[in-house]
Amino acid sequence: EAQVTQNPRYLITVTGKKLTVTCSQNMNHEYMSWYRQDPGLGLRQIYYSMNVEVTDKGDVPEGYKVSRKEKRNFPLILESPSPNQTSLYFCASSKGQGPTEAFFGQGTRLTVV
Amino acid sequence: GDSVTQMEGPVTLSEEAFLTINCTYTATGYPSLFWYVQYPGEGLQLLLKATKADDKGSNKGFEATYRKETTSFHLEKGSVQVSDSAVYFCALSVPRGNYQLIWGAGTKLIIKP
């Protein structure tokens, strides 16, 4: 089954404690991205990757890091989480550039206290 | 810059009512337009899309027509069901750079039996 898998689904952590949210896709997609979803703001792109070892900043990259060492995996790293990073996070992948369908993971609800 | 504006929710309707969710956009060039749906506790999934002016996207009884003259892509359904309750997102993709998806804020739809 074609899917994007994120883990964990729910995470409560404390300010400053480094965390990683994993994302994996099984569709051999080149393009992957991370979004955060906040009420009234829709989805905002954090980082994206157009292929292995190619990553770039989206609209709200501050406080986040990513890596793309393999095509299927695109982890999101919060080196020192802060309460304003409390949000719902989605990983997405698509076949490549152009108006292609984006496939989303089920989301990770992160709370930083 | 490029942007998408959706009607604010929540929109509450009775079963079998007619649905319209308005979406207008601002973009340079010729964007592709999308509607995504997010069911409770799930990630987003593509509902329908249109890639050029006057195209009509349709799926699961939902329709939207790409209107370049009014820069709109309104979502419609003739008879909604309780199972249509979800959050609906309008988005656009501009054919330059990384084809980033630009998102509206989302419209929550509640259908009452």
Side-chain angles (χ1 to χ4, degrees), chain A residues 9 37 48 59 90 98-99 102, chain B residues 32 36 38 41 49 89 98 100:
Chain A
R9 291 288 309 277
Q37 182 182 11
Y48 65 93
D59 295 321
F90 287 101
Chain B
S32 296
Y36 278 78
Q38 183 182 28
K49 72 178 184 184
F89 290 90
N98 68 342
Q100 179 185 356

Side-chain angles (χ1 to χ4, degrees), chain B:
Chain B
D2 305 320
S3 66
V4 175
T5 303
Q6 285 182 240
M7 61 189 295
E8 287 191 26
V11 173
T12 304
L13 296 172
S14 297
E15 209 166 17
E16 298 184 4
F18 184 86
L19 167 70
T20 301
I21 299 178
N22 290 336
C23 171
T24 56
Y25 68 89
T26 302
T28 53
Y30 301 94
S32 296
L33 301 172
F34 305 83
W35 277 101
Y36 278 78
V37 59
Q38 183 182 28
Y39 297 105
E42 297 185 13
L44 285 75
Q45 54 187 276
L46 180 66
L47 181 60
L48 53 85
K49 72 178 184 184
T51 58
K52 60 183 188 297
D54 299 325
D55 265 3
K56 177 186 282 188
S58 61
N59 186 23
K60 299 182 182 179
F62 290 89
E63 293 182 341
T65 301
Y66 188 162
R67 302 283 188 201
K68 191 166 176 61
E69 64 276 10
T70 55
T71 62
S72 64
F73 192 54
H74 304 322
L75 183 68
E76 297 181 335
K77 186 175 185 183
S79 176
V80 292
Q81 306 301 313
V82 172
S83 57
D84 293 326
S85 298
V87 181
Y88 292 80
F89 290 90
C90 185
L92 68 83
S93 172
V94 183
R96 64 172 181 272
N98 68 342
Y99 280 89
Q100 179 185 356
L101 283 166
I102 309 296
W103 297 88
T107 301
K108 185 173 185 177
L109 175 64
I110 301 169
I111 307 299
K112 295 188 173 179

Side-chain angles (χ1 to χ4, degrees), chain A residues 36-108:
Chain A
R36 60 178 289 173
Q37 182 182 11
D38 300 291
L41 296 177
L43 277 79
R44 294 179 292 169
Q45 192 180 55
I46 302 169
Y47 268 94
Y48 65 93
S49 169
M50 289 201 277
N51 216 322
V52 176
E53 301 292 2
V54 180
T55 63
D56 210 343
K57 296 177 181 178
D59 295 321
V60 288
E62 293 76 22
Y64 305 94
K65 285 176 56 177
V66 294
S67 69
R68 189 95 181 271
K69 294 185 170 60
E70 308 162 278
K71 199 171 192 178
R72 64 184 293 127
N73 295 324
F74 191 46
L76 179 70
I77 303 154
L78 284 72
E79 295 269 2
S80 182
S82 62
N84 64 10
Q85 293 178 297
T86 293
S87 188
L88 180 58
Y89 292 86
F90 287 101
C91 179
S93 74
S94 58
K95 202 168 184 179
Q97 295 190 16
T100 59
E101 178 178 358
F103 291 80
F104 283 79
Q106 289 193 291
T108 296

Side-chain angles (χ1 to χ4, degrees), chain A residues 1-42:
Chain A
E1 180 190 354
Q3 60 184 6
V4 178
T5 304
Q6 287 178 236
N7 279 297
R9 291 288 309 277
Y10 302 92
L11 179 59
I12 301 174
T13 191
V14 296
T15 299
K17 185 176 181 181
K18 180 180 178 179
L19 66 91
T20 300
V21 183
T22 63
C23 174
S24 181
Q25 51 96 1
N26 63 359
M27 295 166 280
N28 201 37
H29 285 166
E30 291 88 6
Y31 191 97
M32 297 185 75
S33 57
W34 276 102
Y35 294 91
R36 60 178 289 173
Q37 182 182 11
D38 300 291
L41 296 177

